[in-house]
Amino acid sequence: MITLDAIGTFTLLVGLLTLTPGLDTALVLRTAALGHRRRAWGVVLGIQSGTLVWGTLASLGVTALLTTSHLAYQTLRWAGAAYLVWMGGMMLWATWRRSSSESARTAGAGTEARAGAGDTLLGGWRQGTATNLLNPKMGAFYVAVLPNFIPAGTSHLGAGVLLAGVHILLAVAWACALIAFARVLRDRLRRPSARRCLDRVTGTVIAAFGIRLALGQ
């Protein structure tokens, strides 16, 4: 059985990982800041669905096969990189493809239409799930970390799901804070220039993550 000390150490580790600014933070903040509350929660649920899948697969040893198979890992890496560059590129393109006034009216809608859907829970869930599952580094993280916290003689599946659940709870708590913070900024982001700036920053960050993933860094 997993000890409380092991759970505490794992909680500290994934807590620091959760608080580190990254792709998930940027995606949740941007979606919530534009006033798309349902979609923002959909993104959160999608990301955590992916986390649960990675934790389950890692506990069963499936992701170990992924990381040891060069072809499988590279295929997932390139698919993830292409998806992130596409998503970031669509955000950037929507802010520049028309005049400033027209872009102000359509950038948010155009971006969401290309990335999945409008302000819907399902659209956000699809986006969050795809973003998480197409990131092979999540699988590599769980392969490297999870076995160290599962003692011999313990059900690997049960222990893996338990630890993934701890990660999910921390991530959801952090997402609540991000969405609350975004609501404070929402009125300021109603200005067309601020919305375009937000999309450009977020699009650049997401595309940069995709390029970094493609380069294997």
Side-chain angles (χ1 to χ4, degrees):
M1 187 172 180
I2 302 180
T3 65
L4 291 178
D5 286 343
I7 294 176
T9 304
F10 181 81
T11 300
L12 177 61
L13 178 62
V14 295
L16 292 174
L17 177 66
T18 300
L19 293 175
T20 302
L23 175 62
D24 294 349
T25 298
L27 193 57
V28 172
L29 264 179
R30 183 259 174 189
T31 307
L34 291 180
H36 301 151
R37 187 176 183 182
R38 288 191 298 272
R39 186 177 181 88
W41 279 112
V43 169
V44 172
L45 293 175
I47 291 171
Q48 302 320 316
S49 295
T51 298
L52 180 60
V53 170
W54 281 122
T56 302
L57 294 179
S59 64
L60 295 174
V62 176
T63 47
L65 297 177
L66 171 65
T67 56
T68 56
S69 171
H70 180 74
L71 178 60
Y73 184 85
Q74 292 300 320
T75 299
L76 182 60
R77 182 168 68 88
W78 280 106
Y83 174 74
L84 293 178
V85 171
W86 171 82
M87 183 165 60
M90 287 299 99
M91 290 182 184
L92 293 172
W93 176 247
T95 65
W96 276 310
R97 68 189 178 90
R98 293 191 176 125
S99 64
S100 296
S101 59
E102 186 176 4
S103 177
R105 293 191 301 270
T106 62
T111 300
E112 298 300 347
R114 288 165 176 77
D119 185 17
T120 65
L121 189 72
L122 181 59
W125 180 84
R126 285 198 300 260
Q127 187 179 40
T129 303
T131 300
N132 190 285
L133 290 181
L134 289 175
N135 183 3
K137 292 188 176 182
M138 275 294 294
F141 169 80
Y142 268 94
V143 168
V145 171
L146 211 62
N148 298 308
F149 294 93
I150 301 179
T154 300
S155 169
H156 282 211
L157 178 59
V161 170
L162 172 63
L163 293 174
V166 171
H167 191 179
I168 289 170
L169 287 175
L170 291 175
V172 170
W174 177 235
C176 289
L178 291 176
I179 292 175
F181 176 68
R183 287 178 62 85
V184 175
L185 298 177
R186 189 173 59 186
D187 289 340
R188 298 181 183 180
L189 292 172
R190 287 177 179 173
R191 292 179 297 175
S193 59
R195 292 175 68 110
R196 288 197 303 273
C197 181
L198 177 65
D199 267 358
R200 287 173 182 173
V201 170
T202 308
T204 300
V205 169
I206 291 175
F209 269 98
I211 294 172
R212 184 179 177 185
L213 183 59
L215 296 175
Q217 298 179 353

